[in-house]
Amino acid sequence: MKTYNPILILLLFSAFFLSCSTEQVDEYNNVIGVWENLEVSNNTNTTRSLTFASNKTVKSILKIEELSGEITSSTAIYDWSIDGNSITVNDGESQWVYAITANSQLVLNDEQQNLLYNKISDVVDNY
């Protein structure tokens, strides 16, 4: 039995390393981080932040700053997955599909709005 253990371990490591292509790992790593959308109007500044963590959760923060100085914010935690260029965020009832553009921006694929997010950090610990 002892002669099979090193071979078994080698086979398991080989299967593990061959199971994910470098491209899949790169796609995953490109998503991890903090993405932000800022919308400025006459009366308000609206900041939308998405923090994609390696544990497949995403924290969504919506912050609205009124001209008067009043600030309203809300946060929610969702799950996310990636399939090629599509990043799906869902809460169990609804889902939103994003994509990373050729300009390295995250865009919400929604008929009603076309939100572009810029990556502001690869580190999620501070957010």
Side-chain angles (χ1 to χ4, degrees):
M1 188 72 170
K2 289 183 182 181
T3 59
Y4 292 107
N5 284 339
I7 294 171
L8 180 62
I9 290 171
L10 182 62
L11 288 173
L12 288 174
F13 277 123
S14 297
F16 176 74
F17 286 114
L18 294 176
S19 65
C20 291
S21 70
T22 303
E23 186 176 298
Q24 289 171 324
V25 172
D26 288 345
E27 289 170 351
Y28 176 80
N29 288 335
N30 286 340
V31 175
I32 302 295
V34 181
W35 298 80
E36 189 172 87
N37 167 275
L38 177 62
E39 183 181 316
V40 178
S41 70
N42 292 336
N43 298 325
T44 62
N45 292 340
T46 302
T47 306
R48 294 173 182 86
S49 299
L50 296 171
T51 303
F52 289 87
S54 59
N55 66 356
K56 296 291 185 125
T57 61
V58 58
K59 179 171 37 173
S60 174
I61 300 173
L62 174 63
K63 179 181 170 185
I64 301 170
E65 296 180 66
E66 300 289 338
L67 188 60
S68 65
E70 181 181 341
I71 298 174
T72 305
S73 65
S74 63
T75 185
I77 305 289
Y78 304 111
D79 295 321
W80 71 275
S81 61
I82 187 168
D83 183 17
N85 195 36
S86 294
I87 300 130
T88 303
V89 174
N90 71 70
D91 65 359
E93 294 178 16
S94 301
Q95 72 176 19
W96 303 268
V97 179
Y98 296 84
I100 297 179
T101 67
N103 297 332
S104 299
Q105 291 180 303
L106 188 70
V107 61
L108 174 61
N109 293 331
D110 187 335
E111 295 173 4
Q112 298 173 356
Q113 54 186 341
N114 189 17
L115 295 176
L116 287 173
Y117 292 79
N118 294 303
K119 194 169 195 181
I120 61 168
S121 178
D122 288 324
V123 180
V124 299
D125 296 339
N126 299 329
Y127 295 91

